[in-house]
Short mmCIF file of all heavy atoms in Angstrom, two decimals:
data_model
loop_
_atom_site.label_atom_id
_atom_site.label_comp_id
_atom_site.label_asym_id
_atom_site.label_seq_id
_atom_site.Cartn_x
_atom_site.Cartn_y
_atom_site.Cartn_z
N MET X 30 0.81 -1.20 0.00
CA MET X 30 0.00 0.00 0.00
C MET X 30 0.86 1.26 0.00
O MET X 30 0.55 2.24 -0.68
CB MET X 30 -0.93 0.00 1.22
CG MET X 30 -1.85 1.22 1.34
SD MET X 30 -1.10 2.65 2.16
CE MET X 30 -1.04 2.07 3.85
N LEU X 31 1.96 1.25 0.76
CA LEU X 31 2.81 2.44 0.90
C LEU X 31 3.48 2.84 -0.41
O LEU X 31 3.57 4.03 -0.73
CB LEU X 31 3.88 2.19 1.97
CG LEU X 31 3.39 2.09 3.41
CD1 LEU X 31 4.54 1.73 4.34
CD2 LEU X 31 2.74 3.40 3.86
N VAL X 32 3.95 1.87 -1.17
CA VAL X 32 4.63 2.17 -2.44
C VAL X 32 3.69 2.90 -3.41
O VAL X 32 4.03 3.97 -3.92
CB VAL X 32 5.22 0.89 -3.07
CG1 VAL X 32 5.73 1.17 -4.49
CG2 VAL X 32 6.36 0.36 -2.21
N PRO X 33 2.48 2.37 -3.70
CA PRO X 33 1.55 3.11 -4.57
C PRO X 33 1.13 4.46 -3.98
O PRO X 33 0.99 5.44 -4.72
CB PRO X 33 0.35 2.16 -4.68
CG PRO X 33 0.91 0.81 -4.41
CD PRO X 33 1.97 1.03 -3.37
N ALA X 34 0.93 4.51 -2.66
CA ALA X 34 0.52 5.78 -2.03
C ALA X 34 1.58 6.85 -2.24
O ALA X 34 1.27 8.01 -2.53
CB ALA X 34 0.25 5.57 -0.55
N PHE X 35 2.84 6.46 -2.10
CA PHE X 35 3.93 7.42 -2.30
C PHE X 35 3.98 7.90 -3.75
O PHE X 35 4.12 9.11 -4.01
CB PHE X 35 5.26 6.77 -1.92
CG PHE X 35 6.46 7.63 -2.24
CD1 PHE X 35 6.77 8.74 -1.46
CD2 PHE X 35 7.27 7.34 -3.33
CE1 PHE X 35 7.87 9.54 -1.77
CE2 PHE X 35 8.36 8.13 -3.64
CZ PHE X 35 8.66 9.24 -2.86
N ILE X 36 3.83 6.98 -4.69
CA ILE X 36 3.88 7.34 -6.11
C ILE X 36 2.72 8.29 -6.45
O ILE X 36 2.91 9.30 -7.13
CB ILE X 36 3.83 6.08 -7.00
CG1 ILE X 36 5.08 5.23 -6.77
CG2 ILE X 36 3.73 6.47 -8.47
CD1 ILE X 36 5.05 3.89 -7.47
N ILE X 37 1.52 7.98 -5.99
CA ILE X 37 0.36 8.82 -6.27
C ILE X 37 0.49 10.18 -5.60
O ILE X 37 0.09 11.21 -6.16
CB ILE X 37 -0.94 8.11 -5.84
CG1 ILE X 37 -1.18 6.85 -6.68
CG2 ILE X 37 -2.14 9.05 -5.98
CD1 ILE X 37 -2.36 6.01 -6.24
N SER X 38 1.06 10.21 -4.40
CA SER X 38 1.20 11.48 -3.66
C SER X 38 2.07 12.49 -4.41
O SER X 38 1.91 13.70 -4.24
CB SER X 38 1.78 11.23 -2.28
OG SER X 38 3.14 10.85 -2.35
N LEU X 39 2.99 12.00 -5.25
CA LEU X 39 3.87 12.89 -6.00
C LEU X 39 3.10 13.74 -7.02
O LEU X 39 3.58 14.80 -7.43
CB LEU X 39 4.96 12.08 -6.72
CG LEU X 39 5.92 11.29 -5.82
CD1 LEU X 39 6.89 10.49 -6.67
CD2 LEU X 39 6.66 12.22 -4.87
N SER X 40 1.92 13.26 -7.42
CA SER X 40 1.12 13.99 -8.41
C SER X 40 0.11 14.93 -7.76
O SER X 40 -0.64 15.60 -8.47
CB SER X 40 0.38 13.00 -9.32
OG SER X 40 -0.56 12.25 -8.58
N LEU X 41 0.08 14.98 -6.43
CA LEU X 41 -0.87 15.84 -5.72
C LEU X 41 -0.12 16.97 -5.01
O LEU X 41 0.77 16.71 -4.19
CB LEU X 41 -1.66 15.02 -4.69
CG LEU X 41 -2.62 13.98 -5.26
CD1 LEU X 41 -3.16 13.09 -4.15
CD2 LEU X 41 -3.77 14.63 -6.02
N LYS X 42 -0.47 18.18 -5.34
CA LYS X 42 0.19 19.34 -4.74
C LYS X 42 -0.86 20.33 -4.24
O LYS X 42 -1.98 20.39 -4.75
CB LYS X 42 1.10 20.04 -5.77
CG LYS X 42 2.14 19.15 -6.43
CD LYS X 42 3.20 18.68 -5.44
CE LYS X 42 4.26 17.83 -6.16
NZ LYS X 42 5.27 17.33 -5.20
N GLY X 43 -0.48 21.14 -3.25
CA GLY X 43 -1.33 22.25 -2.83
C GLY X 43 -2.41 21.86 -1.85
O GLY X 43 -2.37 20.80 -1.21
N THR X 44 -3.42 22.73 -1.77
CA THR X 44 -4.51 22.56 -0.80
C THR X 44 -5.87 22.65 -1.49
O THR X 44 -5.96 23.01 -2.66
CB THR X 44 -4.43 23.65 0.29
OG1 THR X 44 -4.55 24.94 -0.34
CG2 THR X 44 -3.11 23.57 1.05
N MET X 45 -6.91 22.32 -0.72
CA MET X 45 -8.27 22.40 -1.22
C MET X 45 -9.08 23.33 -0.33
O MET X 45 -8.75 23.54 0.84
CB MET X 45 -8.92 21.01 -1.20
CG MET X 45 -8.26 19.99 -2.11
SD MET X 45 -9.08 18.38 -1.98
CE MET X 45 -8.70 17.96 -0.26
N ASP X 46 -10.14 23.86 -0.89
CA ASP X 46 -11.05 24.72 -0.13
C ASP X 46 -12.09 23.83 0.55
O ASP X 46 -12.92 23.21 -0.12
CB ASP X 46 -11.73 25.72 -1.06
CG ASP X 46 -12.68 26.64 -0.30
OD1 ASP X 46 -12.59 26.67 0.95
OD2 ASP X 46 -13.49 27.32 -0.95
N ILE X 47 -12.03 23.73 1.88
CA ILE X 47 -12.98 22.89 2.62
C ILE X 47 -13.89 23.73 3.51
O ILE X 47 -14.53 23.22 4.42
CB ILE X 47 -12.24 21.84 3.48
CG1 ILE X 47 -11.35 22.55 4.52
CG2 ILE X 47 -11.43 20.91 2.62
CD1 ILE X 47 -10.77 21.60 5.54
N SER X 48 -13.95 25.04 3.21
CA SER X 48 -14.74 25.93 4.06
C SER X 48 -16.23 25.58 4.03
O SER X 48 -16.97 25.86 4.98
CB SER X 48 -14.55 27.39 3.63
OG SER X 48 -14.92 27.56 2.26
N GLY X 49 -16.67 24.99 2.94
CA GLY X 49 -18.10 24.68 2.83
C GLY X 49 -18.48 23.34 3.41
O GLY X 49 -19.65 22.96 3.40
N ILE X 50 -17.48 22.60 3.93
CA ILE X 50 -17.75 21.27 4.46
C ILE X 50 -18.14 21.37 5.92
O ILE X 50 -17.40 21.91 6.73
CB ILE X 50 -16.52 20.35 4.30
CG1 ILE X 50 -16.16 20.22 2.82
CG2 ILE X 50 -16.80 18.99 4.90
CD1 ILE X 50 -14.90 19.44 2.59
N ARG X 51 -19.28 20.84 6.29
CA ARG X 51 -19.75 20.87 7.66
C ARG X 51 -19.50 19.53 8.33
O ARG X 51 -19.28 18.52 7.69
CB ARG X 51 -21.25 21.20 7.71
CG ARG X 51 -21.60 22.56 7.13
CD ARG X 51 -23.09 22.75 7.12
NE ARG X 51 -23.75 21.75 6.29
CZ ARG X 51 -25.06 21.61 6.19
NH1 ARG X 51 -25.86 22.39 6.90
NH2 ARG X 51 -25.58 20.69 5.40
N GLU X 52 -19.56 19.56 9.66
CA GLU X 52 -19.44 18.32 10.41
C GLU X 52 -20.60 17.41 10.05
O GLU X 52 -21.72 17.84 9.81
CB GLU X 52 -19.48 18.60 11.92
CG GLU X 52 -18.27 19.38 12.42
CD GLU X 52 -17.00 18.56 12.35
OE1 GLU X 52 -16.97 17.44 12.89
OE2 GLU X 52 -16.03 19.04 11.73
N GLU X 53 -20.28 16.13 9.99
CA GLU X 53 -21.30 15.15 9.61
C GLU X 53 -22.29 14.90 10.74
O GLU X 53 -21.91 14.64 11.87
CB GLU X 53 -20.62 13.82 9.24
CG GLU X 53 -21.56 12.72 8.83
CD GLU X 53 -22.10 12.91 7.43
OE1 GLU X 53 -21.70 13.85 6.75
OE2 GLU X 53 -22.94 12.10 7.03
N ASN X 54 -23.54 15.02 10.42
CA ASN X 54 -24.59 14.69 11.39
C ASN X 54 -25.43 13.56 10.82
O ASN X 54 -25.74 13.53 9.63
CB ASN X 54 -25.49 15.90 11.65
CG ASN X 54 -24.75 17.01 12.37
OD1 ASN X 54 -24.05 16.76 13.35
ND2 ASN X 54 -24.89 18.23 11.88
N THR X 55 -25.83 12.67 11.65
CA THR X 55 -26.61 11.54 11.18
C THR X 55 -28.05 11.93 10.89
O THR X 55 -28.59 12.83 11.52
CB THR X 55 -26.60 10.38 12.21
OG1 THR X 55 -27.36 9.31 11.68
CG2 THR X 55 -27.20 10.80 13.54
N ASP X 56 -28.64 11.24 9.95
CA ASP X 56 -30.06 11.46 9.65
C ASP X 56 -30.95 10.66 10.61
O ASP X 56 -32.15 10.80 10.61
CB ASP X 56 -30.35 11.03 8.21
CG ASP X 56 -29.74 11.98 7.20
OD1 ASP X 56 -29.75 13.19 7.45
OD2 ASP X 56 -29.26 11.50 6.16
N ASP X 57 -30.30 9.82 11.41
CA ASP X 57 -31.07 8.99 12.33
C ASP X 57 -31.28 9.74 13.63
O ASP X 57 -30.39 9.85 14.46
CB ASP X 57 -30.31 7.68 12.59
CG ASP X 57 -31.15 6.68 13.34
OD1 ASP X 57 -32.19 7.08 13.88
OD2 ASP X 57 -30.75 5.51 13.39
N GLU X 58 -32.48 10.27 13.84
CA GLU X 58 -32.77 11.08 15.02
C GLU X 58 -33.22 10.23 16.20
O GLU X 58 -33.47 10.75 17.29
CB GLU X 58 -33.84 12.12 14.68
CG GLU X 58 -33.41 13.08 13.59
CD GLU X 58 -34.53 14.02 13.17
OE1 GLU X 58 -35.68 13.78 13.63
OE2 GLU X 58 -34.28 14.95 12.41
N ASP X 59 -33.35 8.91 16.00
CA ASP X 59 -33.85 8.05 17.06
C ASP X 59 -32.74 7.48 17.93
O ASP X 59 -33.02 6.83 18.94
CB ASP X 59 -34.67 6.90 16.46
CG ASP X 59 -35.91 7.42 15.76
OD1 ASP X 59 -36.80 7.95 16.44
OD2 ASP X 59 -35.95 7.34 14.52
N LEU X 60 -31.49 7.67 17.57
CA LEU X 60 -30.37 7.21 18.37
C LEU X 60 -29.59 8.40 18.89
O LEU X 60 -29.33 9.36 18.17
CB LEU X 60 -29.43 6.32 17.54
CG LEU X 60 -29.91 4.92 17.15
CD1 LEU X 60 -28.81 4.18 16.41
CD2 LEU X 60 -30.35 4.13 18.37
N THR X 61 -29.18 8.32 20.14
CA THR X 61 -28.34 9.37 20.70
C THR X 61 -26.90 9.14 20.24
O THR X 61 -26.56 8.08 19.71
CB THR X 61 -28.39 9.35 22.22
OG1 THR X 61 -27.80 8.11 22.70
CG2 THR X 61 -29.82 9.46 22.73
N ASP X 62 -26.05 10.14 20.47
CA ASP X 62 -24.65 10.00 20.10
C ASP X 62 -24.01 8.83 20.85
O ASP X 62 -23.22 8.07 20.29
CB ASP X 62 -23.90 11.29 20.41
CG ASP X 62 -22.46 11.26 19.94
OD1 ASP X 62 -22.24 11.10 18.72
OD2 ASP X 62 -21.55 11.38 20.79
N GLY X 63 -24.37 8.67 22.11
CA GLY X 63 -23.82 7.57 22.90
C GLY X 63 -24.27 6.22 22.38
O GLY X 63 -23.48 5.25 22.36
N GLN X 64 -25.51 6.13 21.93
CA GLN X 64 -26.02 4.86 21.39
C GLN X 64 -25.32 4.51 20.07
O GLN X 64 -25.00 3.35 19.82
CB GLN X 64 -27.53 4.95 21.19
CG GLN X 64 -28.31 4.94 22.49
CD GLN X 64 -29.79 5.16 22.28
OE1 GLN X 64 -30.21 5.84 21.34
NE2 GLN X 64 -30.61 4.61 23.17
N ARG X 65 -25.08 5.52 19.23
CA ARG X 65 -24.36 5.27 17.96
C ARG X 65 -22.95 4.76 18.23
O ARG X 65 -22.46 3.85 17.57
CB ARG X 65 -24.33 6.54 17.12
CG ARG X 65 -25.67 6.90 16.49
CD ARG X 65 -25.50 7.93 15.40
NE ARG X 65 -25.04 9.21 15.95
CZ ARG X 65 -25.84 10.15 16.42
NH1 ARG X 65 -27.15 9.94 16.45
NH2 ARG X 65 -25.36 11.29 16.88
#
């Protein structure tokens, strides 16, 4: 896994805009966070 990951990482540079990404909330309102 490490060898391909290193090779692929060489083609990725810079950063991404993640300002629009919110924390994930579940659609299941019947379970509490502790139950999940």
Side-chain angles (χ1 to χ4, degrees):
M30 180 274 289
L31 291 175
V32 171
F35 174 75
I36 296 173
I37 295 174
S38 70
L39 298 177
S40 65
L41 293 171
K42 305 292 182 182
T44 60
M45 297 178 295
D46 180 15
I47 61 171
S48 58
I50 300 175
R51 298 176 299 174
E52 293 292 306
E53 180 75 4
N54 293 313
T55 181
D56 289 322
D57 190 347
E58 299 175 351
D59 296 293
L60 289 183
T61 65
D62 185 60
Q64 288 175 330
R65 287 195 294 273

